[in-house]
Amino acid sequence: MIVQLESITEHIKQRELKLLQIDLKADPALIDDLLSDEFEEISGSGQVNSRNNVVYWLRNKDNHIQWLLIDFRIKVLTDDLVMAIYTAQKLSDPDSTSKGSMRTSIWKCQEGNWRMLFHQASKIN
């Protein structure tokens, strides 16, 4: 079980990084591969965002910014549901004075593919 947990943890981490770093305008089908149809998010400002709002942001984000995911871990909720918990920091944004944000995502295995169902970010002051 430990080997499987490590494998799932790394897989989910790579999927989180894809959402942050890959140019999703160039590969729009990847969005449906990564986000569940029921996806929603609570932003760092506390606003609830629909899947459509998040997809718009993902397609228009700065793809040159690189991210570091710190203390990445998952908690198994059920056989097909895990929660990822980590701190995200921008690596290549010289204008940023942010200390990053604490993030939580819930991923569901749907038809053999892990898709994000929910995401929340809380800014670190």
Side-chain angles (χ1 to χ4, degrees):
M1 179 66 178
I2 292 174
V3 172
Q4 184 181 4
L5 184 60
E6 289 174 359
S7 175
I8 292 171
T9 300
E10 186 57 31
H11 181 71
I12 297 296
K13 183 177 183 179
Q14 292 309 312
R15 293 180 77 72
E16 292 270 0
L17 283 168
K18 279 184 182 181
L19 283 165
L20 290 169
Q21 295 182 170
I22 289 183
D23 181 358
L24 295 169
K25 276 188 198 173
D27 190 0
L30 190 54
I31 291 172
D32 291 332
D33 182 57
L34 294 168
L35 296 182
S36 170
D37 291 341
E38 300 88 33
F39 175 82
E40 68 179 355
E41 171 193 70
I42 299 175
S43 71
S45 64
Q47 179 178 343
V48 177
N49 293 310
S50 69
R51 185 181 193 277
N52 288 339
N53 290 347
V54 173
V55 167
Y56 177 82
W57 181 85
L58 288 169
R59 288 186 176 149
N60 294 288
K61 70 185 182 323
D62 183 347
N63 293 305
H64 294 98
I65 296 174
Q66 296 297 302
W67 294 82
L68 179 63
L69 306 187
I70 302 165
D71 296 329
F72 192 94
R73 63 193 187 283
I74 63 168
K75 291 187 180 261
V76 176
L77 304 175
T78 67
D79 288 345
D80 64 349
L81 209 59
V82 298
M83 180 171 55
I85 304 164
Y86 60 96
T87 301
Q89 286 185 331
K90 293 179 183 179
L91 286 179
S92 53
D93 186 0
D95 297 328
S96 178
T97 58
S98 172
K99 294 179 182 173
S101 57
M102 284 295 303
R103 306 218 174 178
T104 304
S105 302
I106 297 177
W107 290 81
K108 182 172 184 158
C109 190
Q110 300 172 314
E111 301 167 4
N113 186 29
W114 288 97
R115 290 185 179 92
M116 189 183 288
L117 187 61
F118 174 81
H119 183 75
Q120 182 169 4
S122 301
K123 292 180 182 177
I124 299 170
N125 294 324

